[in-house]
Amino acid sequence: DEDTMKMWPHKFNLTVTVRLSAQVLYQELSVENTDDHTFDFTALFHTYFTVEDIKRTKVYESEKRHS
């Protein structure tokens, strides 16, 4: 929208996908450049979750990679 374009003058679509099951939280952020020029985009999830036992907690990297 117009307010976003004032802060970030690039056209893009951003999609956040979240899936939750009893054992897994899956998060994915996808950015599609819809502009006629390239731009850099960096994002990071800040996930501050309380876990029962940090020694038994596992974090997996997404198998999907985009360059």
Side-chain angles (χ1 to χ4, degrees), residues 1 3-4 20 33 37 45 52-53 64-65:
D1 69 4
D3 290 335
T4 302
L20 182 62
N33 182 352
H37 62 275
F45 285 116
E52 262 184 55
D53 184 352
K64 219 186 234 189
R65 290 180 179 237

Side-chain angles (χ1 to χ4, degrees), residues 10-13 32-37 39:
H10 309 288
K11 296 177 186 174
F12 66 97
N13 289 323
E32 176 189 9
N33 182 352
T34 59
D35 217 327
D36 58 0
H37 62 275
F39 60 84

Side-chain angles (χ1 to χ4, degrees), residues 22-61:
Q23 299 295 320
V24 176
L25 168 65
Y26 173 85
Q27 296 177 299
E28 179 180 69
L29 186 137
S30 176
V31 178
E32 176 189 9
N33 182 352
T34 59
D35 217 327
D36 58 0
H37 62 275
T38 62
F39 60 84
D40 292 328
F41 189 94
T42 303
L44 177 68
F45 285 116
H46 293 275
T47 52
Y48 302 98
F49 297 114
T50 302
V51 295
E52 262 184 55
D53 184 352
I54 191 64
K55 292 179 181 177
R56 294 180 45 203
T57 302
K58 296 180 182 179
V59 177
Y60 297 95
E61 182 178 350

